[in-house]
Amino acid sequence: MKQILIVVDIQNDFVNGALGTQEATAMIPNAVEKIRNFDGTIFVTYDTHTDDYINTAEGKQLPVPHCIKGTEGWKLYGAIAEALSGKPYTKVEKITFGSVHLPALIQDAVGDAPFCIELIGLCTDICVVSNALLLKAHFPEAEIRVDAACCAGVTPDSHNAALTTMKMCQIDVIGAK
């Protein structure tokens, strides 16, 4: 069975930048270990905005410029970039919470082989849950799981609510505390 790891938006702005949290910083060692020990196909998503972010629908709801392409905040967090160094992976830029291109990229990578998808990253309650649900909709028979120890939400409560939502949608949650 092919193993797929989706590393969701572990970018500077979500760890220690404009939208960073203590919980995001705390999960980094778990995510680094997961990436280093993973033997399979890796996709890395990047929340990607432009200078006009504040004028977008998202920017009007969340008026905090972040992950502006090319800035330091847009780059992968250092320890994550280091863990990925030397590993082949596919970079997936996305302009919104879930990547509509990710399912096709995964399908191309696995062909007709059975596969399992695991997601880690930030933020559990926004981009991780969006991508997990999108993937479950595209691959209803695939095993899809989220490692809670390698994720962090905007708040601990919203992180837990997203984990509950994913469980209700038949996405396995592992690594829960």
Side-chain angles (χ1 to χ4, degrees), residues 77-159:
Y77 186 71
I80 298 300
E82 188 176 303
L84 287 163
S85 179
K87 287 186 173 275
Y89 67 89
T90 301
K91 179 178 175 179
V92 182
E93 293 181 20
K94 58 187 191 54
I95 61 170
T96 190
F97 310 127
S99 171
V100 297
H101 302 293
L102 192 53
L105 293 170
I106 291 170
Q107 189 65 67
D108 287 346
V110 300
D112 293 331
F115 62 97
C116 172
I117 300 172
E118 184 168 334
L119 295 96
I120 64 172
L122 303 169
C123 294
T124 318
D125 44 344
I126 303 172
C127 294
V128 174
V129 69
S130 294
N131 282 287
L133 293 172
L134 191 146
L135 292 169
K136 189 64 175 174
H138 278 271
F139 305 115
E141 297 302 320
E143 178 185 346
I144 300 177
R145 64 180 173 254
V146 172
D147 188 337
C150 296
C151 294
V154 174
T155 68
D157 287 343
S158 61
H159 166 79

